[in-house]
Amino acid sequence: MIEPQVDAVFAALADPTRRRLLDQISEHGPLTATELASGYPISRQAVVKHLSALAGAGLLAGERQGRDVRYRVVVGGLDDAAAWLRDVGQRWDRRLDALQRHLGG
């Protein structure tokens, strides 16, 4: 069974803009929505909504600094989703190995 947190991570990462934002923040450190918005063809408010979705999935954390909120990547935010992917991959590997043995290969 998939944990609700894993579902939230995959739902957040399903959007290419959110993946780009997460990648940009992970590469360039804590950033504000204003700093991020200049690189996207969407409004600052739309960027804030994307950042909120990533934060809601446990992938980002926001810290208020004056009037701005700086977003940073949450270490371990992808751990549960990565573990789920590993488990699924291992199950498929076992099935494919069994099929190969069955076929005499």
Side-chain angles (χ1 to χ4, degrees), residues 51-103:
L51 295 171
S52 294
L54 290 165
L59 299 171
L60 294 179
E63 182 180 316
R64 183 161 293 282
Q65 293 182 344
R67 291 177 32 191
D68 292 321
V69 176
R70 291 205 163 273
Y71 290 89
R72 64 173 175 76
V73 172
V74 173
V75 175
L78 290 171
D79 288 352
D80 290 341
W84 181 83
L85 287 169
R86 238 182 344 270
D87 291 345
V88 169
Q90 289 170 353
R91 285 193 301 264
W92 274 103
D93 287 344
R94 287 191 300 272
R95 288 177 182 156
L96 291 171
D97 289 345
L99 179 60
Q100 187 173 19
R101 284 191 304 277
H102 177 74
L103 296 174

Side-chain angles (χ1 to χ4, degrees), residues 8-9 11-13 18 47-60:
V9 168
L13 294 178
R18 290 183 193 143
V47 169
V48 168
K49 286 184 179 185
H50 284 299
L51 295 171
S52 294
L54 290 165
L59 299 171
L60 294 179

Side-chain angles (χ1 to χ4, degrees), residues 29-61:
L31 296 168
T32 67
T34 301
E35 292 167 335
L36 290 161
S38 65
Y40 294 86
I42 57 176
S43 69
R44 180 192 169 284
Q45 192 56 36
V47 169
V48 168
K49 286 184 179 185
H50 284 299
L51 295 171
S52 294
L54 290 165
L59 299 171
L60 294 179

